[in-house]
Amino acid sequence: MLIVRRTRVRLKDQPEDLIPGGVRFARHALRLVRRRMANKAAFASKGFVTHLGVHDPANNAGDTVLFVALRALFDKTFGPQVWLREAVRKEHSDAFYDHINAAGKAIVVGGGGLISIDSRPGSPSGWQWALRREQIDRLNVPLVLFAIGYNLFRGQPGLTPAVVDHLAATIEKSSFVGLRNTGSIEKIKTFLPESSWDKLAFQPCMTTFLRHYFPGLSPDHTARDTKDLALNLAFDRRELRYGKDEDAIMQRVVAAMRHVIAQGWTVHIAHHAWDDDPAVAVFRKSGLPVKIHRLNRSPAHEVVDFYARMPLTIGVRGHAQMIPFGCGNGIISLVSHEKLGYFLKDIGQPGWGVDVHDPELTDRLVHLIDDFDRNRDAQRRIITEQQNRLLGITHQNLDRLRPIFANRA
């Protein structure tokens, strides 16, 4: 069993986390019970909004934040909605969608990298929304795709004709199609007829401007000028991320951390998922005095609070960059997936990233950390400027959706 294997790994690499891990599991289970109760009440009401996403993200701290963030953004903009939170990867019945048509206000799909081909094996759509092709025509409430992304890894085959057909039909049915980076827009255009391109809008991920609306944050909220650095290393699909270079890449990252620790930095390893466990072994073997933080199964506000306290985050996962950026803090991208490059391009800072396969990875990382440390105020001004731009784009998009979601007296 998976839980047995994970317990063995924990006993070997991080036995001190067994009890805290049990506490996180219990709190997570309680949140699931509360969500199911809220869902039951929402389903029995009138005028609810169905939010299709990954709402049980025990294995992804980024998903924990982004789906909560979407609802918080809509509630602040349009007034509190009655939310029915359903799993985007679950195949729902025709009767389910018929009930939404009869009693619901709208369907919101997203955000996240939902356009992927391996996150939900056997999906009837071929991407993450497990909606059968014939069910698309059944929908008669407004359909909104919000801040979703093209999420295929390097080396993966493109979208099959069946996936393209499903995606094209979904886009045609949608009232709004928001893609979270311009790179995703350009990628999707290569699969769709030109007649569909006008429906594709740039909608940045809600996590990139968190401090403008997320509870507990404020526009002037940034970390203090400490020498705390968060590092996220991802090991899902590791053969696609790192290939045969994984050991060399990890050694280069460790060497960079060894250098900056000697300069007085404290390194915090940020786990977003169970898949990130190998990072513990990497750093235990190195002997470096790092601190391990397991963010999966933590509630959204705790994940955000962690990154809000980190002046700088180095990340492999996309949301290990977008969340700290959204808190107003510095980022350095370890690019093993094109989506990180897409984000850096959209904020005008491609130089804030380094490809994991770069043989000069150690020196590049050290240089970027030193540059951040010397120019914190200047980088924060850039972040604030870009956040305001992304927020402005979002406000324009939300104005288009106001007739659907605005609460009426």
Side-chain angles (χ1 to χ4, degrees):
M1 291 177 60
L2 188 58
I3 190 67
V4 173
R5 181 175 64 83
R6 287 172 174 169
T7 300
R8 287 174 178 168
V9 170
R10 194 64 51 82
L11 281 169
K12 177 183 176 183
D13 292 331
Q14 199 183 5
E16 70 275 13
D17 188 61
L18 281 176
I19 293 176
V23 172
R24 289 195 301 273
F25 177 83
R27 293 168 63 202
H28 173 73
L30 180 60
R31 290 195 298 275
L32 287 183
V33 171
R34 290 173 176 166
R35 177 167 69 82
R36 287 167 185 159
M37 293 173 63
N39 256 15
K40 186 176 180 180
F43 196 72
S45 69
K46 292 285 187 179
F48 58 84
V49 178
T50 303
H51 184 192
L52 293 167
V54 185
H55 303 297
D56 182 17
N59 197 38
N60 194 317
D63 286 347
T64 300
V65 174
L66 80 93
F67 295 108
V68 172
L70 183 148
R71 294 191 297 276
L73 175 64
F74 274 52
D75 286 346
K76 181 171 182 178
T77 304
F78 304 121
Q81 310 291 305
V82 176
W83 292 99
L84 176 68
R85 289 169 281 176
E86 289 290 342
V88 70
R89 297 170 181 167
K90 178 181 177 181
E91 188 171 352
H92 292 93
S93 67
D94 290 347
F96 171 83
Y97 287 110
D98 289 343
H99 178 71
I100 290 176
N101 287 333
K105 179 192 290 188
I107 297 174
V108 178
V109 181
L114 298 183
I115 305 174
S116 65
I117 59 176
D118 59 356
S119 297
R120 201 289 200 180
S123 170
S125 69
W127 55 295
Q128 289 199 56
W129 188 8
L131 180 77
R132 299 195 310 277
R133 175 63 178 81
E134 62 271 18
Q135 288 180 312
I136 298 174
D137 295 332
R138 300 182 76 94
L139 303 178
N140 60 28
V141 294
L143 172 61
V144 173
L145 309 184
F146 201 83
I148 67 172
Y150 183 85
N151 203 23
L152 274 67
F153 280 76
R154 297 166 172 175
Q156 286 188 309
L159 304 179
T160 66
V163 174
V164 171
D165 175 70
H166 189 288
L167 196 58
T170 304
I171 290 171
E172 179 63 28
K173 191 75 172 183
S174 298
S175 301
F176 178 79
V177 182
L179 295 166
R180 66 183 179 182
N181 47 57
T182 56
S184 287
I185 293 175
E186 294 308 312
K187 270 293 187 181
I188 293 301
K189 280 183 177 179
T190 65
F191 297 103
L192 297 178
E194 191 170 346
S195 58
S196 299
W197 291 3
D198 287 345
K199 293 203 72 172
L200 307 180
F202 175 35
Q203 173 49 59
C205 182
M206 302 68 62
T207 59
T208 61
F209 44 87
L210 282 169
R211 60 179 172 168
H212 287 275
Y213 69 93
F214 198 82
L217 292 177
S218 64
D220 61 350
H221 189 115
T222 54
R224 296 171 299 167
D225 286 327
T226 64
K227 299 193 83 168
D228 288 285
L229 177 159
L231 172 66
N232 165 258
L233 297 173
F235 290 90
D236 62 309
R237 304 170 179 88
R238 57 203 298 176
E239 69 286 351
L240 294 172
R241 290 188 183 278
Y242 310 120
K244 297 179 181 180
D245 296 335
E246 181 178 318
D247 288 344
I249 291 168
M250 292 304 118
Q251 289 172 17
R252 290 165 186 159
V253 172
V254 167
M257 295 305 100
R258 190 182 305 279
H259 181 86
V260 298
I261 287 172
Q263 294 179 330
W265 287 87
T266 298
V267 175
H268 303 259
I269 306 300
H271 277 28
H272 276 218
W274 290 106
D275 300 308
D276 300 348
D277 271 0
V280 177
V282 167
F283 279 92
R284 287 287 160 89
K285 184 178 180 181
S286 75
L288 292 177
V290 300
K291 298 183 178 182
I292 308 295
H293 301 263
R294 293 186 176 273
L295 302 179
N296 57 313
R297 286 210 172 112
S298 295
H301 71 274
E302 290 185 6
V303 178
V304 172
D305 181 66
F306 169 81
Y307 280 118
R309 291 182 285 109
M310 294 291 125
L312 177 64
T313 297
I314 302 171
V316 173
R317 292 186 178 275
H319 281 100
Q321 296 293 265
M322 290 186 281
I323 294 171
F325 181 90
C327 295
N329 293 323
I331 59 170
I332 298 172
S333 296
L334 287 171
V335 181
S336 68
H337 190 296
E338 301 304 341
K339 64 186 177 184
L340 282 90
Y342 294 160
F343 174 58
L344 294 180
K345 181 180 178 181
D346 283 340
I347 62 171
Q349 299 298 326
W352 287 359
V354 55
D355 196 288
V356 294
H357 295 284
D358 190 328
E360 303 299 322
L361 177 59
T362 299
D363 291 340
R364 292 281 308 279
L365 270 180
V366 170
H367 171 76
L368 286 169
I369 295 167
D370 288 345
D371 184 63
F372 168 81
D373 201 22
R374 288 191 302 267
N375 300 290
R376 294 188 186 212
D377 289 342
Q379 289 205 18
R380 285 174 179 162
R381 283 194 294 270
I382 292 171
I383 292 168
T384 297
E385 176 185 296
Q386 290 300 315
Q387 274 192 344
N388 289 338
R389 186 179 67 84
L390 299 179
L391 182 64
I393 292 168
T394 298
H395 282 162
Q396 291 176 2
N397 290 335
L398 291 173
D399 282 344
R400 294 170 57 184
L401 299 177
R402 193 170 297 279
I404 299 172
F405 294 98
N407 290 335
R408 296 172 176 83

